[in-house]
Amino acid sequence: MATVDDVRSQFRTPPPEGRPMMRWWWFGPSVDWRELDRQLRAMAAAGLGGVEVAFVYPLGSVDTPFGSDKFLDDVGHAARTARELGLRFDLTLGSGWPFGGGHIGPDLAARRLCWDRREIGPEAYDVPAVAAWPGDEVVAAFVGEGSGGVPTSYVELPVSDGTIRVPRGNGPREVLIASSRLTGQNVKRAAAGAEGPVLDHYSAAAAAEHIRCVVEPLLMAATPELVGSVFCDSLEVYQADWTVGILEEFGRRRGYDLRPRLYELLVDTTGSRQLRIDFHRTLSELYEENFVAVFQRWAAGHGVPFRIQSYGEPPATMSSYRFADLFEGEGWGWTSIPETRWASSAASIHGRSVVSAEAWTWVHSPSFRATPLDLKGEAHEHFLSGVNQLIGHGWPYSPSGAPGLGWIFYAAGALDDRNPWWPVATDLFGYLHRLSWLLQQGTPVRPVKVYVPASDAYAEMHGSVNLYRTVRRLIGDDIPRIIRSAGVDFDLIDDDALTVIDPAGVPLVVVPADATLPEATTRWLDAVRAAGGSVVSDPSAALPAAPVRAPDDVGVVHRRLDDGDVYFVANTGNEPRTVRYEGPVEQWDPFTGAVTVIDGAEVTLDAYEATVLVPTSSSADRVAVEEVTVGSGGGAWMVGFADETTPVTLPHRWEDDPGRAAYSGSATYQTSIELPDLEATMRVLLDFGAGQAVPAEAETYLPAHSYRAMLVPPIGVAAEIWLNDTLCGTLWAPPYRVDLTHAAQPGPNELRIVVHNTAANALAADDHLAPLVESVTAQYGRRFDLQDVEHAADFLNSGLLNPPTVVLRHQA
C-alpha cells in the first residue's frame, strides 16, 4: 500500500531502492582486487546503490583475457565485495556490444539480405551462384521483362547445381538475385579474448550458444544469488534483416509463401507494402521469441531478472519488452520521444513499477567535463520521461597508480571519485535517490495514449530495420511536444499493447494522421469511442486540463497513491519559472525531504530546479516574507590553493590566473562577515546570485544528444559553505543560496567557502592519454576513438564567479 502518509514519512530517508547505480567499465579486462575493493567502497560511501559491470576494450596489456579462469575469479570477487558493502551487482552478458564473440560461427552470425540488380538482353544465361564470402548463399533469383526499373512483375528463376538458369527472353530484361550474407559486423569495443562476429538475434540456437559459452560461466562466477539482474545493452545489429529458416517461419506465421514474392521487398507492386509489413513483423516476432524470451527463460531458471534496452536493430517493438523482466531506455528530451519513453510506456502498460535509464550517456562531453548540475538536469529529463531508476554511464575502472588522470571511457562522463567536485557527490546522489524512490511509488497518471504506427514503419524499412527510429519520425515532434507542454503525460501504445489495455479506461488516443490500422486496432479504437473516449490526430484541442499549470520549460509527472496524488515538477530551462496549483499543497523538498504546507500554491522554480507538490486538505496561514540585503559576504577575501594563500578580489576565475588554467582541484575562500542580533523569525542567508545563461553558440562541437545545463553558475562548479567551522551546506545547483542561521552569531563570523571544479582542466593538459591510446591500438587494433578530448579546455569556469551577499529574511 502506498499512502501519502507512508510516502511522506519515508521521503526524507527513503529505503535503498532507487539509489542511482553506475555502469562500471572494466578495461581489458585487467583489474586488481585491491583496486576493485577501493572503488566499490568509494561508490558505497557516495550513496550509489550498485554497479552494472561492463567488459570493454583494453587500456593496457592484458594478462587475464575475457573468459579466462582469472577473469572469472575477478568477477566473483567483485560480486562478493559488492554484497558485503550492500551494493547491487548487475552483469552485462558479454563484452562490448551487441552480443557475440569468437564462439559465433557463420551459421550463427548476424545476416542481411543483399540484392544484385542488373539489366540484361534477350539472350539466355547460366549464372554461377558463387558465395563471395564463407557462409553466403543465394536465396532466390528473379527475372522481369523490361528495363530501367519498368518491370513490376518478376518470375522466379530456377537455381540448380550452383547455377542460376536465365532463359531466353523477348528483349531487355532485369534480373534480381537475392543473397543471404553475413553482415560482417563484429562486437564493438570488445575486451581482449571477446572478439568475434555479432550473433544472429533471430536465432534461438545462436542465443543458446552464447549462453553456453559466455553467459553461464559469467553468472556462475558471480553466483546467481549475488546478482541483481543480468543485462543486455541497446540493439545495434546493423542491417540484420535475414536469418536462416525465415522463409519457413514467414509461411507458418503469415499464411503464404514468401519466396516467389521475395522481390517485392525491393520492387514496388500493388501488394508489396503489405508484404513488407508482414516480413518485418516476422523479424520482430523472431527477435522476441528467439532472443529476448530465450535469455529471460534462462535467467529465470537461475532466479535472476533479465533487464534489456529493447530498441534499435533488430526491429524491436515497444511491446517486445514484455518478454523481459526489467525495462530500460536511454536518451533524454522530455517533450519528444526518446528511448526512455519507449521503455517507460511499455513498463506502464505491462505493470512494471520500476523502469530504468542509461543516464548521462553523452553528458557534456568530453569525459570529466560534466558538472553536478549537468547530471541533475539530465536526470530530471529522464524522470519527466517516466524513468525512476538511474544507471549512470558511468564509472571507468582506473588503477590508482595510472599516470595523469588514468583510464577513461572513450565517450560519456567519467563519474567517479577522480572528479574534484566529488565531496558533493553524496548530496547529488542523495537528491536523485529521493526522487527515484518517490517516483516508484503508486502508479503513473498518463491520460493520453499515442498510437505507434508500426505497420507504416514496417512498410518503409529497407536496409536499416530500426523500428523505434522510424516510428519516432512518423509520429513527429509536434504530438509529444503539444501534450507535454500542456502539463499532461502520455504512453505510447502499439498493436500488441491493445490486448492488455481496457479501451473503457482510455480518455484520449492520438493516432498520427494517415496511419495504417490493422483490423483489430480499428475495433479497439471503436471501443474507445463507444466508451466515451476520443480518438484524434491533433491533440491540441482535445487534451484534458492539467492539475498543475506549468509554463514553458516546466514538466510535470503525476503519480497516484492509494489515497492521494503526487506531482514531480521540474524546470528544465535556465530561467526561473512559476507554476500554480489551485488549492493548498504540501511542498516536499527533494534536497532535504522537508515538508511545507502552502495555501494557494504558487511556486517559483529557479533554473533547473525541481520540487514535489502533494495536494492536501490542510491549510496554512499566509506568511509575509521580507528580505533585506545587508551587505556583501565579507570585505577582504583570501584564497588558498595547495601551494599558497593570497588576497583575492571577487569575482575570481581560476583560468585567468597565471599557471592555473590546467588546475583541477579545490580552493578555499575566507572572509569575515558582521551579523546583527537575530530575531526569532529571522534567517541569515548567503546568496551567490543566479548565474548567467549560456549563449547558444557556446560549445557548438557538442552533438544534439550531449546534455549540458545552459548556465554559467556563480560557483564553478561546487562548494561547501562553512560558517564558524560549521558546515552549513553544499551548493552545486540553483538556487545558489545557503542558510547560515544555525551557525550565525552576533558580531564577526568567519566564512569559509571551499570551491571544487571539474577534472576537465587537468584532462586538457594530460599528456599521457595520446601515448596510451597509441600503444593499445598498436597492440590490440583500433577499438575506440576518444571523444572530444581536444575540447576539454573549452568554456571552463572555475572558482568563485560572483561575490555573495548576506540576506536577512524575516517571516511575519
Side-chain angles (χ1 to χ4, degrees):
M1 300 288 285
T3 66
V4 172
D5 286 345
D6 290 340
V7 173
R8 184 195 303 106
S9 67
Q10 296 182 82
F11 183 64
R12 184 183 295 271
T13 308
E17 293 82 11
R19 284 179 181 161
M21 296 175 58
M22 281 290 174
R23 181 173 294 184
W24 193 15
W25 291 295
W26 288 17
F27 299 101
S30 183
V31 296
D32 174 81
W33 284 16
R34 289 171 297 180
E35 186 60 36
L36 291 175
D37 294 352
R38 188 200 70 76
Q39 294 184 27
L40 286 169
R41 287 194 298 269
M43 294 183 208
L48 292 168
V51 294
E52 169 195 289
V53 186
F55 313 102
V56 293
Y57 54 83
L59 281 178
S61 295
V62 177
D63 55 11
T64 56
F66 183 85
S68 66
D69 290 343
K70 174 61 168 62
F71 162 75
L72 295 174
D73 287 344
D74 293 341
V75 171
H77 174 79
R80 292 188 296 273
T81 304
R83 171 60 63 89
E84 292 168 4
L85 294 170
L87 296 173
R88 177 173 147 184
F89 187 85
D90 286 16
L91 269 178
T92 305
L93 298 180
S95 171
W97 64 93
F99 292 165
H103 55 289
I104 298 298
D107 56 327
L108 299 178
R111 291 183 166 270
R112 59 180 298 199
L113 188 65
C114 296
W115 292 92
D116 181 0
R117 186 175 194 171
R118 65 184 62 197
E119 294 183 1
I120 63 172
E123 297 82 9
Y125 291 90
D126 284 347
V127 181
V130 178
W133 288 87
D136 290 3
E137 61 179 22
V138 172
V139 175
F142 305 89
V143 63
E145 296 290 339
S147 64
V150 171
T152 58
S153 179
Y154 293 78
V155 176
E156 186 175 0
L157 295 170
V159 181
S160 61
D161 300 324
T163 301
I164 302 170
R165 312 287 182 182
V166 185
R168 182 173 180 82
N170 297 321
R173 295 176 296 166
E174 188 172 69
V175 172
L176 305 176
I177 302 174
S179 299
S180 167
R181 294 180 182 170
L182 300 178
T183 65
Q185 183 181 359
N186 275 244
V187 176
K188 296 192 293 182
R189 323 296 180 211
E195 306 88 344
V198 170
L199 65 82
D200 180 354
H201 284 50
Y202 308 116
S203 165
E209 182 68 1
H210 188 68
I211 288 172
R212 184 183 70 84
C213 295
V214 175
V215 174
E216 188 82 19
L218 258 179
L219 184 62
M220 292 304 104
T223 308
E225 293 78 14
L226 302 182
V227 174
S229 78
V230 289
F231 174 63
C232 174
D233 210 338
S234 56
L235 307 170
E236 299 178 29
V237 192
Y238 301 130
Q239 297 184 317
D241 61 358
W242 195 257
T243 185
V244 174
I246 191 172
L247 294 174
E248 294 75 17
E249 287 288 350
F250 183 95
R252 182 173 67 84
R253 295 163 188 269
R254 307 278 87 90
Y256 63 96
D257 192 359
L258 173 63
R259 182 191 296 274
R261 296 182 56 188
L262 191 65
Y263 67 91
E264 293 182 66
L265 292 175
L266 186 67
V267 176
D268 292 334
T269 71
T270 55
S272 61
R273 192 174 193 279
Q274 185 59 50
L275 181 135
R276 293 166 191 170
I277 293 171
D278 290 344
F279 176 76
H280 291 111
R281 177 62 182 163
T282 300
L283 291 180
S284 295
E285 293 171 357
L286 292 174
Y287 155 73
E288 293 169 350
E289 297 169 21
N290 295 339
F291 183 81
V292 187
V294 169
F295 279 95
Q296 191 280 331
R297 284 195 301 271
W298 166 83
H302 292 289
V304 180
F306 177 51
R307 176 166 55 90
I308 191 171
Q309 296 179 1
S310 187
Y311 43 82
E313 303 176 66
T317 71
M318 191 199 70
S319 285
S320 296
Y321 271 111
R322 71 192 187 278
F323 292 92
D325 300 303
L326 300 173
F327 306 172
E328 181 163 304
E330 66 178 304
W332 56 276
W334 67 279
T335 62
S336 60
I337 305 178
E339 295 92 333
T340 44
R341 179 63 67 174
W342 195 253
S344 67
S345 296
S348 173
I349 291 163
H350 294 285
R352 304 303 201 272
S353 60
V354 176
V355 56
S356 56
E358 174 190 303
W360 310 311
T361 305
W362 295 91
V363 65
H364 211 159
S365 182
S367 291
F368 291 115
R369 183 69 179 86
T371 70
L373 175 58
D374 292 323
L375 304 185
K376 175 180 185 255
E378 185 181 325
H380 289 169
E381 297 271 350
H382 292 300
F383 293 151
L384 291 172
S385 293
V387 163
N388 52 23
Q389 173 69 65
L390 300 172
I391 303 193
H393 190 277
W395 184 296
Y397 173 95
S398 181
S400 292
L405 277 174
W407 295 356
I408 61 174
F409 194 57
Y410 80 100
L415 309 178
D416 59 28
D417 58 351
R418 289 175 289 173
N419 288 281
W421 53 258
W422 201 251
V424 308
T426 52
D427 291 338
L428 167 65
F429 296 137
Y431 170 91
L432 298 177
H433 171 210
R434 188 172 286 112
L435 287 173
S436 295
W437 175 84
L438 174 72
L439 294 172
Q440 293 177 9
Q441 309 312 304
T443 55
V445 178
R446 300 175 187 160
V448 182
K449 309 301 178 189
V450 176
Y451 177 70
V452 170
S455 293
D456 299 301
Y458 285 144
E460 287 193 11
M461 285 180 180
H462 181 72
S464 171
V465 287
N466 191 318
L467 180 67
Y468 158 75
R469 286 187 181 171
T470 308
V471 162
R472 179 173 176 170
R473 177 176 55 79
L474 290 174
I475 293 175
D477 296 330
D478 288 346
I479 288 174
R481 178 184 52 78
I482 289 168
I483 296 169
R484 295 302 279 128
S485 297
V488 181
D489 211 345
F490 71 94
D491 279 324
L492 298 169
I493 56 172
D494 60 12
D495 299 311
D496 289 328
L498 304 187
T499 62
V500 297
I501 299 176
D502 181 3
V506 179
L508 177 62
V509 182
V510 181
V511 179
D514 302 320
T516 301
L517 302 176
E519 290 184 11
T521 298
T522 299
R523 291 193 299 269
W524 186 88
L525 292 172
D526 288 341
V528 170
R529 296 185 186 96
S534 300
V535 179
V536 301
S537 59
D538 180 359
S540 57
L543 292 173
V548 177
R549 287 180 290 169
D552 291 346
D553 298 326
V554 175
V556 180
V557 172
H558 183 184
R559 304 285 296 189
R560 178 150 294 145
L561 306 181
D562 291 339
D563 61 350
D565 298 281
V566 170
Y567 299 94
F568 166 74
V569 185
N571 181 4
T572 64
N574 60 5
E575 298 286 346
R577 301 291 187 191
T578 298
V579 299
R580 293 171 177 83
Y581 183 90
E582 295 298 331
V585 295
E586 295 177 355
Q587 184 177 5
W588 298 3
D589 185 345
F591 278 103
T592 65
V595 175
T596 305
V597 177
I598 305 173
D599 200 356
E602 184 175 282
V603 178
T604 296
L605 299 175
D606 278 284
Y608 303 106
E609 187 180 11
T611 193
V612 176
L613 302 179
V614 181
T616 180
S617 58
S618 303
S619 60
D621 295 332
R622 293 188 180 272
V623 177
V625 177
E626 181 183 359
E627 291 189 352
V628 178
T629 300
V630 296
S632 63
W637 286 86
M638 302 290 290
V639 61
F641 292 89
D643 53 348
E644 62 177 345
T645 298
T646 59
V648 67
T649 300
L650 302 184
H652 178 220
R653 180 176 178 269
W654 301 352
E655 288 81 8
D656 295 332
D657 285 357
R660 297 231 187 262
Y663 176 72
S664 290
S666 303
T668 300
Y669 294 84
Q670 298 184 76
T671 192
S672 178
I673 59 175
E674 191 78 19
L675 294 176
D677 290 329
L678 299 179
E679 300 176 15
T681 57
M682 277 189 178
R683 312 298 296 177
V684 182
L685 310 175
L686 191 66
D687 192 326
F688 291 81
Q692 296 179 340
V694 171
E697 63 272 15
E699 298 180 275
T700 53
Y701 69 91
L702 289 173
H705 55 267
S706 181
Y707 182 89
R708 57 168 173 161
M710 303 292 288
L711 187 76
V712 177
I715 296 171
V717 298
E720 301 160 88
I721 313 300
W722 299 77
L723 189 69
N724 300 324
D725 291 325
T726 299
L727 180 62
C728 296
T730 63
L731 293 176
W732 43 270
Y736 290 97
R737 175 180 273 203
V738 65
D739 192 330
L740 306 177
T741 309
H742 68 288
Q745 61 189 25
N749 291 256
E750 296 305 313
L751 176 64
R752 185 167 83 252
I753 303 171
V754 184
V755 174
H756 317 280
N757 70 343
T758 73
N761 303 65
L763 178 66
D766 191 338
D767 57 5
H768 299 90
L769 273 177
L772 174 65
V773 173
E774 291 174 6
S775 66
V776 295
T777 299
Q779 188 171 2
Y780 296 104
R782 194 173 200 87
R783 304 191 185 206
F784 66 97
D785 290 299
L786 289 179
Q787 170 196 300
D788 301 326
V789 173
E790 68 276 14
H791 294 288
D794 293 3
F795 300 99
L796 295 178
N797 293 282
S798 308
L800 199 47
L801 307 175
N802 196 48
T805 57
V806 177
V807 176
L808 296 183
R809 181 173 184 172
H810 179 69
Q811 295 185 182

